[in-house]
Short mmCIF file of all heavy atoms in Angstrom, two decimals:
data_model
loop_
_atom_site.label_atom_id
_atom_site.label_comp_id
_atom_site.label_asym_id
_atom_site.label_seq_id
_atom_site.Cartn_x
_atom_site.Cartn_y
_atom_site.Cartn_z
N MET A 23 -9.38 -14.68 -4.96
CA MET A 23 -8.06 -14.56 -5.51
C MET A 23 -7.90 -15.62 -6.61
O MET A 23 -8.29 -16.77 -6.43
CB MET A 23 -7.02 -14.77 -4.40
CG MET A 23 -5.61 -14.57 -4.86
SD MET A 23 -4.35 -14.83 -3.58
CE MET A 23 -4.76 -13.56 -2.43
N LYS A 24 -7.30 -15.20 -7.72
CA LYS A 24 -7.10 -16.11 -8.83
C LYS A 24 -6.05 -17.16 -8.49
O LYS A 24 -5.17 -16.93 -7.66
CB LYS A 24 -6.65 -15.34 -10.07
CG LYS A 24 -7.71 -14.42 -10.61
CD LYS A 24 -7.17 -13.71 -11.85
CE LYS A 24 -8.21 -12.76 -12.39
NZ LYS A 24 -7.70 -12.02 -13.54
N LYS A 25 -6.16 -18.32 -9.19
CA LYS A 25 -5.21 -19.40 -8.93
C LYS A 25 -3.77 -19.00 -9.25
O LYS A 25 -2.85 -19.32 -8.51
CB LYS A 25 -5.57 -20.62 -9.79
CG LYS A 25 -6.35 -21.66 -9.08
CD LYS A 25 -6.46 -22.89 -9.95
CE LYS A 25 -7.06 -24.01 -9.16
NZ LYS A 25 -7.22 -25.22 -9.95
N SER A 26 -3.58 -18.27 -10.34
CA SER A 26 -2.22 -17.89 -10.72
C SER A 26 -1.60 -16.94 -9.69
O SER A 26 -0.41 -17.03 -9.38
CB SER A 26 -2.21 -17.24 -12.11
OG SER A 26 -2.98 -16.05 -12.11
N LYS A 27 -2.42 -16.03 -9.17
CA LYS A 27 -1.92 -15.09 -8.16
C LYS A 27 -1.61 -15.83 -6.85
O LYS A 27 -0.62 -15.54 -6.19
CB LYS A 27 -2.94 -13.99 -7.93
CG LYS A 27 -2.38 -12.80 -7.21
CD LYS A 27 -3.28 -11.60 -7.33
CE LYS A 27 -2.49 -10.38 -6.96
NZ LYS A 27 -2.97 -9.19 -7.55
N LYS A 28 -2.47 -16.79 -6.51
CA LYS A 28 -2.26 -17.57 -5.30
C LYS A 28 -0.97 -18.38 -5.42
O LYS A 28 -0.18 -18.45 -4.49
CB LYS A 28 -3.45 -18.51 -5.11
CG LYS A 28 -3.61 -19.06 -3.74
CD LYS A 28 -4.86 -19.89 -3.68
CE LYS A 28 -5.52 -19.82 -2.35
NZ LYS A 28 -6.71 -20.64 -2.26
N ARG A 29 -0.75 -18.96 -6.59
CA ARG A 29 0.47 -19.73 -6.83
C ARG A 29 1.70 -18.84 -6.73
O ARG A 29 2.72 -19.23 -6.17
CB ARG A 29 0.40 -20.38 -8.22
CG ARG A 29 1.54 -21.35 -8.48
CD ARG A 29 1.44 -22.04 -9.82
NE ARG A 29 0.15 -22.65 -10.04
CZ ARG A 29 -0.62 -22.42 -11.11
NH1 ARG A 29 -0.21 -21.60 -12.06
NH2 ARG A 29 -1.78 -23.02 -11.25
N LYS A 30 1.59 -17.61 -7.25
CA LYS A 30 2.70 -16.66 -7.19
C LYS A 30 3.07 -16.37 -5.73
O LYS A 30 4.26 -16.35 -5.37
CB LYS A 30 2.32 -15.37 -7.90
CG LYS A 30 3.40 -14.31 -7.89
CD LYS A 30 2.94 -13.05 -8.56
CE LYS A 30 2.39 -12.13 -7.48
NZ LYS A 30 2.12 -10.78 -7.93
N TYR A 31 2.08 -16.17 -4.88
CA TYR A 31 2.35 -15.88 -3.48
C TYR A 31 2.95 -17.09 -2.76
O TYR A 31 3.82 -16.94 -1.91
CB TYR A 31 1.09 -15.40 -2.76
CG TYR A 31 0.76 -13.97 -3.06
CD1 TYR A 31 -0.45 -13.61 -3.65
CD2 TYR A 31 1.65 -12.95 -2.78
CE1 TYR A 31 -0.75 -12.29 -3.93
CE2 TYR A 31 1.37 -11.63 -3.04
CZ TYR A 31 0.17 -11.31 -3.62
OH TYR A 31 -0.12 -10.01 -3.89
N TRP A 32 2.48 -18.29 -3.08
CA TRP A 32 3.03 -19.49 -2.46
C TRP A 32 4.50 -19.67 -2.86
O TRP A 32 5.34 -19.98 -2.01
CB TRP A 32 2.23 -20.74 -2.84
CG TRP A 32 1.09 -20.97 -1.92
CD1 TRP A 32 -0.22 -20.81 -2.18
CD2 TRP A 32 1.18 -21.40 -0.55
NE1 TRP A 32 -0.97 -21.10 -1.06
CE2 TRP A 32 -0.14 -21.47 -0.06
CE3 TRP A 32 2.23 -21.73 0.29
CZ2 TRP A 32 -0.42 -21.87 1.24
CZ3 TRP A 32 1.95 -22.12 1.58
CH2 TRP A 32 0.63 -22.18 2.06
N ILE A 33 4.81 -19.47 -4.13
CA ILE A 33 6.20 -19.61 -4.59
C ILE A 33 7.07 -18.56 -3.91
O ILE A 33 8.17 -18.86 -3.44
CB ILE A 33 6.28 -19.51 -6.12
CG1 ILE A 33 5.63 -20.75 -6.75
CG2 ILE A 33 7.72 -19.36 -6.59
CD1 ILE A 33 5.43 -20.65 -8.24
N ALA A 34 6.58 -17.32 -3.85
CA ALA A 34 7.34 -16.25 -3.19
C ALA A 34 7.57 -16.57 -1.72
O ALA A 34 8.66 -16.35 -1.18
CB ALA A 34 6.61 -14.92 -3.34
N ALA A 35 6.56 -17.11 -1.05
CA ALA A 35 6.69 -17.44 0.38
C ALA A 35 7.71 -18.55 0.59
O ALA A 35 8.53 -18.49 1.52
CB ALA A 35 5.33 -17.86 0.94
N ILE A 36 7.69 -19.56 -0.27
CA ILE A 36 8.63 -20.67 -0.13
C ILE A 36 10.06 -20.21 -0.38
O ILE A 36 10.98 -20.54 0.37
CB ILE A 36 8.23 -21.83 -1.06
CG1 ILE A 36 6.92 -22.47 -0.55
CG2 ILE A 36 9.34 -22.88 -1.15
CD1 ILE A 36 6.28 -23.42 -1.52
N VAL A 37 10.25 -19.41 -1.43
CA VAL A 37 11.59 -18.89 -1.74
C VAL A 37 12.07 -17.98 -0.61
O VAL A 37 13.22 -18.06 -0.18
CB VAL A 37 11.59 -18.15 -3.09
CG1 VAL A 37 12.88 -17.38 -3.31
CG2 VAL A 37 11.36 -19.14 -4.23
N TRP A 38 11.17 -17.12 -0.11
CA TRP A 38 11.53 -16.21 0.99
C TRP A 38 11.96 -17.00 2.22
O TRP A 38 12.98 -16.71 2.83
CB TRP A 38 10.34 -15.31 1.31
CG TRP A 38 10.57 -14.38 2.44
CD1 TRP A 38 11.17 -13.16 2.39
CD2 TRP A 38 10.21 -14.59 3.82
NE1 TRP A 38 11.21 -12.61 3.65
CE2 TRP A 38 10.64 -13.45 4.53
CE3 TRP A 38 9.59 -15.63 4.50
CZ2 TRP A 38 10.44 -13.34 5.90
CZ3 TRP A 38 9.40 -15.52 5.86
CH2 TRP A 38 9.82 -14.38 6.55
N LEU A 39 11.19 -18.02 2.57
CA LEU A 39 11.50 -18.82 3.75
C LEU A 39 12.81 -19.59 3.57
O LEU A 39 13.65 -19.61 4.49
CB LEU A 39 10.36 -19.80 4.04
CG LEU A 39 10.51 -20.66 5.29
CD1 LEU A 39 10.54 -19.78 6.53
CD2 LEU A 39 9.39 -21.67 5.37
N ALA A 40 13.01 -20.18 2.41
CA ALA A 40 14.24 -20.96 2.16
C ALA A 40 15.47 -20.06 2.22
O ALA A 40 16.49 -20.44 2.83
CB ALA A 40 14.15 -21.66 0.81
N THR A 41 15.40 -18.89 1.62
CA THR A 41 16.57 -18.00 1.64
C THR A 41 16.79 -17.43 3.04
O THR A 41 17.94 -17.21 3.43
CB THR A 41 16.43 -16.86 0.62
OG1 THR A 41 15.19 -16.17 0.83
CG2 THR A 41 16.48 -17.39 -0.80
N MET A 42 15.73 -17.22 3.80
CA MET A 42 15.90 -16.74 5.17
C MET A 42 16.58 -17.80 6.02
O MET A 42 17.49 -17.49 6.80
CB MET A 42 14.54 -16.39 5.78
CG MET A 42 14.66 -15.76 7.16
SD MET A 42 13.10 -15.35 7.91
CE MET A 42 12.42 -16.95 8.23
N ILE A 43 16.19 -19.05 5.86
CA ILE A 43 16.82 -20.14 6.61
C ILE A 43 18.29 -20.28 6.20
O ILE A 43 19.16 -20.47 7.05
CB ILE A 43 16.04 -21.46 6.40
CG1 ILE A 43 14.68 -21.36 7.10
CG2 ILE A 43 16.83 -22.66 6.90
CD1 ILE A 43 13.73 -22.48 6.77
N LEU A 44 18.56 -20.16 4.90
CA LEU A 44 19.94 -20.23 4.42
C LEU A 44 20.79 -19.11 5.00
O LEU A 44 21.91 -19.35 5.47
CB LEU A 44 19.96 -20.17 2.89
CG LEU A 44 21.33 -20.21 2.24
CD1 LEU A 44 21.99 -21.57 2.48
CD2 LEU A 44 21.22 -19.92 0.77
N ALA A 45 20.26 -17.89 5.00
CA ALA A 45 21.01 -16.75 5.57
C ALA A 45 21.26 -16.95 7.05
O ALA A 45 22.36 -16.66 7.56
CB ALA A 45 20.24 -15.45 5.33
N ASN A 46 20.27 -17.47 7.77
CA ASN A 46 20.44 -17.72 9.20
C ASN A 46 21.50 -18.80 9.44
O ASN A 46 22.31 -18.69 10.36
CB ASN A 46 19.11 -18.12 9.82
CG ASN A 46 19.18 -18.20 11.32
OD1 ASN A 46 19.91 -17.45 11.95
ND2 ASN A 46 18.45 -19.14 11.90
N SER A 47 21.49 -19.82 8.61
CA SER A 47 22.48 -20.89 8.74
C SER A 47 23.89 -20.36 8.49
O SER A 47 24.83 -20.73 9.20
CB SER A 47 22.18 -22.02 7.75
OG SER A 47 20.93 -22.57 8.02
N ILE A 48 24.04 -19.51 7.50
CA ILE A 48 25.34 -18.91 7.22
C ILE A 48 25.80 -18.05 8.39
O ILE A 48 26.96 -18.10 8.80
CB ILE A 48 25.29 -18.10 5.90
CG1 ILE A 48 25.12 -19.04 4.71
CG2 ILE A 48 26.53 -17.23 5.74
CD1 ILE A 48 24.82 -18.34 3.41
N ASN A 49 24.88 -17.27 8.97
CA ASN A 49 25.22 -16.46 10.14
C ASN A 49 25.67 -17.33 11.31
O ASN A 49 26.62 -17.00 12.01
CB ASN A 49 24.04 -15.59 10.56
CG ASN A 49 23.89 -14.36 9.72
OD1 ASN A 49 24.81 -13.97 9.02
ND2 ASN A 49 22.73 -13.74 9.77
N GLU A 50 24.97 -18.44 11.52
CA GLU A 50 25.33 -19.36 12.60
C GLU A 50 26.69 -20.00 12.34
O GLU A 50 27.50 -20.13 13.25
CB GLU A 50 24.26 -20.44 12.76
CG GLU A 50 22.97 -19.96 13.37
CD GLU A 50 23.12 -19.61 14.85
OE1 GLU A 50 23.91 -20.27 15.55
OE2 GLU A 50 22.46 -18.66 15.27
N TYR A 51 26.92 -20.41 11.10
CA TYR A 51 28.17 -21.09 10.76
C TYR A 51 29.38 -20.19 10.97
O TYR A 51 30.40 -20.63 11.48
CB TYR A 51 28.11 -21.57 9.30
CG TYR A 51 29.35 -22.29 8.85
CD1 TYR A 51 29.57 -23.62 9.25
CD2 TYR A 51 30.31 -21.67 8.06
CE1 TYR A 51 30.71 -24.29 8.86
CE2 TYR A 51 31.45 -22.35 7.66
CZ TYR A 51 31.65 -23.65 8.06
OH TYR A 51 32.78 -24.31 7.66
N PHE A 52 29.26 -18.94 10.58
CA PHE A 52 30.38 -18.01 10.72
C PHE A 52 30.36 -17.25 12.04
O PHE A 52 31.17 -16.35 12.24
CB PHE A 52 30.39 -17.01 9.55
CG PHE A 52 30.78 -17.63 8.25
CD1 PHE A 52 29.88 -17.72 7.22
CD2 PHE A 52 32.06 -18.14 8.07
CE1 PHE A 52 30.24 -18.30 6.00
CE2 PHE A 52 32.43 -18.72 6.87
CZ PHE A 52 31.52 -18.81 5.84
N HIS A 53 29.45 -17.59 12.94
CA HIS A 53 29.34 -16.94 14.25
C HIS A 53 29.29 -15.42 14.10
O HIS A 53 30.10 -14.67 14.67
CB HIS A 53 30.50 -17.33 15.18
CG HIS A 53 30.61 -18.81 15.38
ND1 HIS A 53 29.69 -19.52 16.11
CD2 HIS A 53 31.52 -19.71 14.93
CE1 HIS A 53 30.03 -20.79 16.10
NE2 HIS A 53 31.13 -20.94 15.38
N ALA A 54 28.33 -14.97 13.33
CA ALA A 54 28.18 -13.54 13.04
C ALA A 54 27.82 -12.78 14.32
O ALA A 54 27.21 -13.31 15.25
CB ALA A 54 27.09 -13.32 12.00
N SER A 55 28.20 -11.52 14.34
CA SER A 55 27.91 -10.68 15.50
C SER A 55 26.41 -10.37 15.56
O SER A 55 25.70 -10.49 14.55
CB SER A 55 28.69 -9.37 15.41
OG SER A 55 28.18 -8.59 14.35
N PRO A 56 25.92 -10.00 16.73
CA PRO A 56 24.49 -9.67 16.86
C PRO A 56 24.05 -8.54 15.92
O PRO A 56 22.92 -8.54 15.45
CB PRO A 56 24.35 -9.25 18.32
CG PRO A 56 25.45 -9.94 19.02
CD PRO A 56 26.58 -10.00 18.03
N LEU A 57 24.94 -7.60 15.62
CA LEU A 57 24.59 -6.53 14.69
C LEU A 57 24.29 -7.08 13.30
O LEU A 57 23.28 -6.72 12.69
CB LEU A 57 25.74 -5.51 14.61
CG LEU A 57 25.53 -4.38 13.59
CD1 LEU A 57 24.35 -3.52 14.01
CD2 LEU A 57 26.79 -3.56 13.43
N ILE A 58 25.12 -7.97 12.81
CA ILE A 58 24.91 -8.58 11.50
C ILE A 58 23.62 -9.39 11.50
O ILE A 58 22.84 -9.35 10.55
CB ILE A 58 26.11 -9.46 11.10
CG1 ILE A 58 27.40 -8.65 11.04
CG2 ILE A 58 25.85 -10.17 9.78
CD1 ILE A 58 27.37 -7.52 10.01
N ARG A 59 23.38 -10.13 12.56
CA ARG A 59 22.13 -10.91 12.66
C ARG A 59 20.90 -10.00 12.67
O ARG A 59 19.90 -10.29 12.04
CB ARG A 59 22.15 -11.78 13.91
CG ARG A 59 23.14 -12.90 13.82
CD ARG A 59 23.14 -13.75 15.06
NE ARG A 59 24.22 -14.72 14.98
CZ ARG A 59 24.39 -15.69 15.83
NH1 ARG A 59 23.56 -15.83 16.85
NH2 ARG A 59 25.38 -16.53 15.68
N GLY A 60 21.00 -8.88 13.36
CA GLY A 60 19.89 -7.92 13.40
C GLY A 60 19.63 -7.31 12.04
O GLY A 60 18.48 -7.15 11.63
N ILE A 61 20.70 -6.98 11.33
CA ILE A 61 20.55 -6.42 9.98
C ILE A 61 19.90 -7.46 9.06
O ILE A 61 19.03 -7.12 8.25
CB ILE A 61 21.91 -5.96 9.44
CG1 ILE A 61 22.38 -4.73 10.21
CG2 ILE A 61 21.85 -5.66 7.94
CD1 ILE A 61 23.81 -4.31 9.92
N THR A 62 20.30 -8.72 9.20
CA THR A 62 19.74 -9.79 8.39
C THR A 62 18.24 -9.94 8.66
O THR A 62 17.44 -10.03 7.73
CB THR A 62 20.45 -11.12 8.67
OG1 THR A 62 21.85 -10.94 8.44
CG2 THR A 62 19.94 -12.22 7.78
N VAL A 63 17.87 -9.94 9.92
CA VAL A 63 16.45 -10.06 10.27
C VAL A 63 15.67 -8.86 9.76
O VAL A 63 14.57 -9.01 9.20
CB VAL A 63 16.28 -10.21 11.81
CG1 VAL A 63 14.83 -10.06 12.21
CG2 VAL A 63 16.83 -11.55 12.27
N GLY A 64 16.22 -7.68 9.90
CA GLY A 64 15.55 -6.48 9.38
C GLY A 64 15.36 -6.54 7.88
O GLY A 64 14.29 -6.19 7.36
N PHE A 65 16.36 -7.03 7.17
CA PHE A 65 16.25 -7.18 5.72
C PHE A 65 15.12 -8.13 5.36
O PHE A 65 14.33 -7.84 4.46
CB PHE A 65 17.59 -7.69 5.14
CG PHE A 65 17.49 -8.03 3.69
CD1 PHE A 65 17.51 -7.03 2.74
CD2 PHE A 65 17.37 -9.35 3.28
CE1 PHE A 65 17.42 -7.35 1.39
CE2 PHE A 65 17.28 -9.67 1.94
CZ PHE A 65 17.30 -8.66 1.00
N TRP A 66 15.01 -9.26 6.05
CA TRP A 66 13.96 -10.23 5.70
C TRP A 66 12.58 -9.73 6.08
O TRP A 66 11.59 -10.07 5.43
CB TRP A 66 14.27 -11.59 6.33
CG TRP A 66 15.46 -12.19 5.66
CD1 TRP A 66 16.66 -12.46 6.24
CD2 TRP A 66 15.61 -12.52 4.27
NE1 TRP A 66 17.53 -12.94 5.29
CE2 TRP A 66 16.91 -12.99 4.08
CE3 TRP A 66 14.75 -12.46 3.18
CZ2 TRP A 66 17.37 -13.41 2.84
CZ3 TRP A 66 15.22 -12.87 1.95
CH2 TRP A 66 16.51 -13.34 1.79
N VAL A 67 12.48 -8.92 7.12
CA VAL A 67 11.19 -8.32 7.47
C VAL A 67 10.75 -7.34 6.38
O VAL A 67 9.59 -7.36 5.94
CB VAL A 67 11.26 -7.62 8.85
CG1 VAL A 67 10.04 -6.76 9.09
CG2 VAL A 67 11.41 -8.66 9.94
N VAL A 68 11.66 -6.51 5.92
CA VAL A 68 11.34 -5.56 4.85
C VAL A 68 11.00 -6.31 3.56
O VAL A 68 10.05 -5.96 2.85
CB VAL A 68 12.51 -4.57 4.63
CG1 VAL A 68 12.30 -3.73 3.38
CG2 VAL A 68 12.67 -3.68 5.86
N ALA A 69 11.76 -7.36 3.27
CA ALA A 69 11.48 -8.15 2.06
C ALA A 69 10.10 -8.79 2.13
O ALA A 69 9.36 -8.81 1.14
CB ALA A 69 12.55 -9.23 1.89
N ALA A 70 9.73 -9.30 3.31
CA ALA A 70 8.41 -9.90 3.46
C ALA A 70 7.32 -8.86 3.26
O ALA A 70 6.29 -9.12 2.62
CB ALA A 70 8.27 -10.54 4.84
N TYR A 71 7.51 -7.66 3.79
CA TYR A 71 6.51 -6.61 3.64
C TYR A 71 6.34 -6.25 2.16
O TYR A 71 5.22 -6.11 1.68
CB TYR A 71 6.89 -5.37 4.44
CG TYR A 71 5.88 -4.27 4.26
CD1 TYR A 71 4.66 -4.32 4.93
CD2 TYR A 71 6.12 -3.21 3.40
CE1 TYR A 71 3.72 -3.34 4.75
CE2 TYR A 71 5.18 -2.21 3.22
CZ TYR A 71 3.98 -2.28 3.89
OH TYR A 71 3.04 -1.32 3.70
N ILE A 72 7.46 -6.11 1.46
CA ILE A 72 7.38 -5.74 0.04
C ILE A 72 6.71 -6.85 -0.76
O ILE A 72 5.87 -6.57 -1.63
CB ILE A 72 8.79 -5.42 -0.50
CG1 ILE A 72 9.30 -4.12 0.13
CG2 ILE A 72 8.78 -5.32 -2.02
CD1 ILE A 72 10.76 -3.85 -0.13
N LEU A 73 7.06 -8.10 -0.49
CA LEU A 73 6.50 -9.21 -1.25
C LEU A 73 5.01 -9.40 -0.99
O LEU A 73 4.24 -9.71 -1.90
CB LEU A 73 7.22 -10.52 -0.91
CG LEU A 73 8.59 -10.72 -1.55
CD1 LEU A 73 9.26 -11.95 -0.96
CD2 LEU A 73 8.46 -10.86 -3.05
N PHE A 74 4.60 -9.24 0.26
CA PHE A 74 3.25 -9.62 0.64
C PHE A 74 2.37 -8.45 1.08
O PHE A 74 1.36 -8.65 1.74
CB PHE A 74 3.32 -10.68 1.74
CG PHE A 74 4.15 -11.86 1.35
CD1 PHE A 74 5.35 -12.12 1.98
CD2 PHE A 74 3.76 -12.69 0.31
CE1 PHE A 74 6.13 -13.20 1.60
CE2 PHE A 74 4.54 -13.77 -0.08
CZ PHE A 74 5.72 -14.02 0.57
N LYS A 75 2.71 -7.23 0.70
CA LYS A 75 1.91 -6.08 1.15
C LYS A 75 0.50 -6.11 0.55
O LYS A 75 -0.43 -5.61 1.15
CB LYS A 75 2.61 -4.77 0.85
CG LYS A 75 2.77 -4.43 -0.60
CD LYS A 75 3.53 -3.13 -0.76
CE LYS A 75 3.86 -2.90 -2.21
NZ LYS A 75 4.70 -1.73 -2.39
N ASP A 76 0.33 -6.72 -0.62
CA ASP A 76 -1.01 -6.84 -1.19
C ASP A 76 -1.89 -7.74 -0.34
O ASP A 76 -3.10 -7.51 -0.24
CB ASP A 76 -0.95 -7.41 -2.60
CG ASP A 76 -0.35 -6.43 -3.58
OD1 ASP A 76 -0.32 -5.22 -3.26
OD2 ASP A 76 0.11 -6.86 -4.65
N LEU A 77 -1.30 -8.75 0.27
CA LEU A 77 -2.08 -9.63 1.14
C LEU A 77 -2.40 -8.97 2.47
O LEU A 77 -3.46 -9.20 3.05
CB LEU A 77 -1.32 -10.94 1.40
CG LEU A 77 -1.12 -11.84 0.19
CD1 LEU A 77 -0.27 -13.03 0.57
CD2 LEU A 77 -2.44 -12.30 -0.37
N MET A 78 -1.48 -8.11 2.95
CA MET A 78 -1.69 -7.46 4.25
C MET A 78 -2.64 -6.28 4.14
O MET A 78 -3.37 -5.99 5.08
CB MET A 78 -0.35 -7.00 4.82
CG MET A 78 0.53 -8.14 5.24
SD MET A 78 2.00 -7.58 6.07
CE MET A 78 3.08 -7.30 4.68
N HIS A 79 -2.62 -5.58 3.00
CA HIS A 79 -3.47 -4.40 2.80
C HIS A 79 -4.23 -4.51 1.48
O HIS A 79 -3.96 -3.75 0.55
CB HIS A 79 -2.62 -3.12 2.78
CG HIS A 79 -1.76 -2.95 3.99
ND1 HIS A 79 -2.27 -2.72 5.23
CD2 HIS A 79 -0.42 -2.98 4.14
CE1 HIS A 79 -1.28 -2.62 6.09
NE2 HIS A 79 -0.15 -2.78 5.46
N PRO A 80 -5.17 -5.43 1.39
CA PRO A 80 -5.83 -5.63 0.09
C PRO A 80 -6.75 -4.49 -0.32
O PRO A 80 -7.05 -4.32 -1.48
CB PRO A 80 -6.63 -6.92 0.30
CG PRO A 80 -6.85 -6.99 1.77
CD PRO A 80 -5.63 -6.36 2.39
N GLN A 81 -7.20 -3.63 0.62
CA GLN A 81 -8.12 -2.55 0.29
C GLN A 81 -7.46 -1.50 -0.60
O GLN A 81 -8.13 -0.86 -1.39
CB GLN A 81 -8.64 -1.85 1.55
CG GLN A 81 -9.24 -2.73 2.60
CD GLN A 81 -8.20 -3.26 3.56
OE1 GLN A 81 -7.00 -3.03 3.40
NE2 GLN A 81 -8.64 -4.02 4.54
N ILE A 82 -6.17 -1.30 -0.46
CA ILE A 82 -5.48 -0.25 -1.20
C ILE A 82 -5.62 -0.48 -2.70
O ILE A 82 -5.96 0.41 -3.45
CB ILE A 82 -4.00 -0.17 -0.78
CG1 ILE A 82 -3.90 0.28 0.68
CG2 ILE A 82 -3.22 0.78 -1.68
CD1 ILE A 82 -2.51 0.19 1.26
N GLY A 83 -5.38 -1.70 -3.14
CA GLY A 83 -5.51 -2.01 -4.55
C GLY A 83 -6.92 -1.85 -5.04
O GLY A 83 -7.17 -1.37 -6.15
N ARG A 84 -7.88 -2.22 -4.23
CA ARG A 84 -9.29 -2.10 -4.62
C ARG A 84 -9.69 -0.63 -4.75
O ARG A 84 -10.43 -0.27 -5.65
CB ARG A 84 -10.18 -2.79 -3.60
CG ARG A 84 -10.07 -4.29 -3.64
CD ARG A 84 -11.09 -4.92 -2.72
NE ARG A 84 -10.71 -6.30 -2.49
CZ ARG A 84 -10.81 -6.90 -1.33
NH1 ARG A 84 -11.28 -6.26 -0.29
NH2 ARG A 84 -10.44 -8.15 -1.19
N ARG A 85 -9.22 0.22 -3.85
CA ARG A 85 -9.57 1.64 -3.92
C ARG A 85 -9.06 2.27 -5.20
O ARG A 85 -9.73 3.06 -5.84
CB ARG A 85 -9.00 2.39 -2.72
CG ARG A 85 -9.74 2.13 -1.43
CD ARG A 85 -9.19 2.98 -0.33
NE ARG A 85 -9.64 2.48 0.94
CZ ARG A 85 -8.98 2.60 2.07
NH1 ARG A 85 -7.81 3.20 2.08
NH2 ARG A 85 -9.45 2.12 3.19
N LYS A 86 -7.84 1.94 -5.58
CA LYS A 86 -7.27 2.50 -6.81
C LYS A 86 -8.08 2.06 -8.02
O LYS A 86 -8.35 2.86 -8.90
CB LYS A 86 -5.81 2.06 -6.97
CG LYS A 86 -4.86 2.74 -6.02
CD LYS A 86 -3.46 2.29 -6.23
CE LYS A 86 -2.50 2.92 -5.21
NZ LYS A 86 -1.15 2.42 -5.35
N LYS A 87 -8.47 0.81 -8.05
CA LYS A 87 -9.27 0.31 -9.18
C LYS A 87 -10.63 0.98 -9.21
O LYS A 87 -11.14 1.33 -10.26
CB LYS A 87 -9.44 -1.21 -9.09
CG LYS A 87 -8.18 -1.97 -9.42
CD LYS A 87 -8.40 -3.46 -9.30
CE LYS A 87 -7.10 -4.21 -9.51
NZ LYS A 87 -7.26 -5.64 -9.30
N ASP A 88 -11.23 1.18 -8.03
CA ASP A 88 -12.53 1.85 -7.95
C ASP A 88 -12.44 3.29 -8.45
O ASP A 88 -13.32 3.78 -9.14
CB ASP A 88 -13.08 1.82 -6.52
CG ASP A 88 -13.49 0.42 -6.09
OD1 ASP A 88 -13.68 -0.44 -6.98
OD2 ASP A 88 -13.62 0.20 -4.87
N GLU A 89 -11.36 3.98 -8.06
CA GLU A 89 -11.18 5.37 -8.50
C GLU A 89 -10.99 5.45 -10.01
O GLU A 89 -11.52 6.33 -10.67
CB GLU A 89 -9.99 5.99 -7.79
CG GLU A 89 -10.23 6.26 -6.31
CD GLU A 89 -8.96 6.73 -5.60
OE1 GLU A 89 -7.94 6.90 -6.27
OE2 GLU A 89 -9.03 6.91 -4.38
N GLU A 90 -10.26 4.49 -10.58
CA GLU A 90 -10.07 4.48 -12.03
C GLU A 90 -11.37 4.19 -12.76
O GLU A 90 -11.64 4.76 -13.82
CB GLU A 90 -9.02 3.43 -12.41
CG GLU A 90 -7.61 3.81 -11.99
CD GLU A 90 -6.62 2.71 -12.25
OE1 GLU A 90 -7.02 1.65 -12.78
OE2 GLU A 90 -5.44 2.89 -11.93
N ASP A 91 -12.20 3.33 -12.20
CA ASP A 91 -13.48 3.01 -12.81
C ASP A 91 -14.43 4.20 -12.81
O ASP A 91 -15.20 4.41 -13.74
CB ASP A 91 -14.16 1.84 -12.10
CG ASP A 91 -13.40 0.52 -12.33
OD1 ASP A 91 -12.64 0.46 -13.32
OD2 ASP A 91 -13.59 -0.41 -11.53
N GLU A 92 -14.37 5.02 -11.74
CA GLU A 92 -15.25 6.18 -11.64
C GLU A 92 -14.88 7.25 -12.65
O GLU A 92 -15.73 7.98 -13.12
CB GLU A 92 -15.18 6.75 -10.22
CG GLU A 92 -15.88 5.88 -9.20
CD GLU A 92 -15.69 6.41 -7.78
OE1 GLU A 92 -15.07 7.47 -7.63
OE2 GLU A 92 -16.16 5.74 -6.84
N GLU A 93 -13.59 7.36 -12.97
CA GLU A 93 -13.14 8.41 -13.91
C GLU A 93 -13.43 8.01 -15.30
O GLU A 93 -14.14 7.91 -16.03
CB GLU A 93 -11.64 8.63 -13.78
CG GLU A 93 -11.27 9.23 -12.48
CD GLU A 93 -9.76 9.36 -12.34
OE1 GLU A 93 -9.04 8.92 -13.24
OE2 GLU A 93 -9.32 9.89 -11.33
#
């Protein structure tokens, strides 16, 4: 993995974690209902998947590049 791409993922991870902690703190401060807390957690899980799906499924990107090279 290139340094610039690695740096991009680290920055995304730090921002994701900081905003997740901030959202959780706001929920705690306002004593949000369990439904709101569940929606918040679901949102951050989906956001993590979208941000880091290349790291979780690296073969997909490679297959597309291989198919383009063959054509």
Side-chain angles (χ1 to χ4, degrees):
M23 184 180 298
K24 293 181 182 177
K25 262 188 171 179
S26 62
K27 196 164 197 154
K28 199 177 213 181
R29 188 177 308 127
K30 180 183 94 170
Y31 282 121
W32 272 108
I33 291 170
I36 290 168
V37 169
W38 178 84
L39 182 64
T41 54
M42 185 180 69
I43 290 170
L44 179 67
N46 188 33
S47 299
I48 291 170
N49 280 343
E50 287 290 326
Y51 181 77
F52 289 114
H53 303 290
S55 69
L57 176 65
I58 300 299
R59 290 181 187 188
I61 291 170
T62 304
V63 169
F65 173 79
W66 291 115
V67 168
V68 170
Y71 179 77
I72 291 169
L73 282 172
F74 305 113
K75 67 182 172 186
D76 290 341
L77 293 176
M78 291 186 273
H79 305 293
Q81 308 87 356
I82 294 171
R84 289 186 197 140
R85 285 185 195 150
K86 287 181 183 176
K87 287 180 185 176
D88 290 342
E89 289 173 4
E90 289 174 2
D91 291 340
E92 288 175 3
E93 292 176 357

